[in-house]
Amino acid sequence: MSGGHFETLKGGGAAIALDEIEISILRSLVVQLLELIGPGEPEPAEDADPLAALFASDGPTEPPADPALARLFPDAYGGPGGAGDEGVDPAELKARSAEFRRFTENDLRTRKREDALAVVRSLDGLTPAGDGAAVLELTGELPLRWLGALNDLRLTIAARLEITEDDESAMLFRLPDDDPRKPMVMAYLWLGGLQETLIETL
């Protein structure tokens, strides 16, 4: 199996060959993502009423101040990364976004954390062979978990590099080797390749 991209696994799923350096870099990036996301919602008590817990949800109502977190948890209506709604009063959009965020952000944070933890556990289970490479096989729900985490990593790095959909940002991809942003740009491109080939396997 060639390294650097995912291939379809016979019987379903995806596989990729990773060397020790790739495993180390990927694990480090995901651990940093976990630290950025923070803890998810605590597990409810065994005797807790699920309906009452739903309506008692007390998530945040304001978007995160950190630009990377704002990309990961965008406003549902209007604002950076939000869907917007033509002809609706901005104050009304803000109120809608706040209410939506209050009921959904904690669950979304938990899901993103679970995706990232699944990646870390997958990498921790790898043992590189004599040639320094190990084959990672993703089956069941793991390909989607990985896809979610890879997307979150790219969103985070894009925020740090100030890459937006509306901005060409072409100069970032022609940076000199001594530019401090170069390693982050290379990671962004590498993760994009992983994400694209994983999508193709699905």
Side-chain angles (χ1 to χ4, degrees), residues 59-113:
T61 57
E62 293 295 324
D66 186 311
L69 284 174
R71 289 270 186 107
L72 294 175
F73 305 104
D75 274 335
Y77 308 96
D85 197 343
E86 293 292 333
V88 180
D89 180 61
E92 174 66 17
L93 287 179
K94 184 176 180 181
R96 288 186 194 177
S97 290
E99 189 71 359
F100 187 83
R101 185 179 294 278
R102 183 166 77 92
F103 285 107
T104 61
E105 185 170 312
N106 283 344
D107 286 342
L108 183 57
R109 190 176 294 268
T110 297
R111 183 177 62 75
K112 289 181 181 295
R113 185 171 181 80

Side-chain angles (χ1 to χ4, degrees), residues 179-193:
D179 191 296
R181 295 170 295 174
K182 185 76 172 185
M184 201 178 295
V185 169
M186 297 304 294
Y188 180 79
L189 296 174
W190 176 54
L191 292 169

Side-chain angles (χ1 to χ4, degrees), residues 111 115 138-150 198 202:
R111 183 177 62 75
D115 288 347
L138 303 179
T139 57
E141 66 173 13
L142 279 177
L144 291 178
R145 291 282 188 194
W146 267 72
L147 202 54
L150 289 172
L198 181 53
L202 300 177

Side-chain angles (χ1 to χ4, degrees), residues 41 48-60 99 102-104 106:
E41 211 170 358
D49 180 352
L51 192 60
L54 174 65
F55 285 100
S57 178
D58 192 24
E99 189 71 359
R102 183 166 77 92
F103 285 107
T104 61
N106 283 344

Side-chain angles (χ1 to χ4, degrees), residues 12-192:
I16 187 172
L18 297 169
D19 62 30
E20 288 189 58
I21 294 176
E22 290 169 329
I23 294 170
S24 177
I25 291 173
L26 193 49
R27 191 184 189 285
S28 175
L29 289 172
V30 178
V31 167
Q32 291 177 62
L33 177 65
L34 280 166
E35 292 171 354
L36 177 68
I37 293 171
E41 211 170 358
E43 288 290 324
E46 287 186 17
D47 58 349
D49 180 352
L51 192 60
L54 174 65
F55 285 100
S57 178
D58 192 24
T61 57
E62 293 295 324
D66 186 311
L69 284 174
R71 289 270 186 107
L72 294 175
F73 305 104
D75 274 335
Y77 308 96
D85 197 343
E86 293 292 333
V88 180
D89 180 61
E92 174 66 17
L93 287 179
K94 184 176 180 181
R96 288 186 194 177
S97 290
E99 189 71 359
F100 187 83
R101 185 179 294 278
R102 183 166 77 92
F103 285 107
T104 61
E105 185 170 312
N106 283 344
D107 286 342
L108 183 57
R109 190 176 294 268
T110 297
R111 183 177 62 75
K112 289 181 181 295
R113 185 171 181 80
E114 288 173 351
D115 288 347
L117 283 170
V119 172
V120 171
R121 293 185 186 115
S122 300
L123 295 173
D124 285 348
L126 288 180
T127 305
D131 61 356
V135 176
L136 171 69
E137 296 186 352
L138 303 179
T139 57
E141 66 173 13
L142 279 177
L144 291 178
R145 291 282 188 194
W146 267 72
L147 202 54
L150 289 172
N151 187 61
D152 288 343
L153 280 173
R154 293 194 81 231
L155 286 173
T156 300
I157 294 174
R160 296 293 184 240
L161 292 171
E162 299 181 343
I163 298 173
T164 66
E165 291 182 6
D166 300 326
D167 179 16
E168 300 263 335
S169 301
M171 54 85 64
L172 284 176
F173 305 107
R174 296 194 299 270
L175 293 175
D177 290 341
D178 59 353
D179 191 296
R181 295 170 295 174
K182 185 76 172 185
M184 201 178 295
V185 169
M186 297 304 294
Y188 180 79
L189 296 174
W190 176 54
L191 292 169

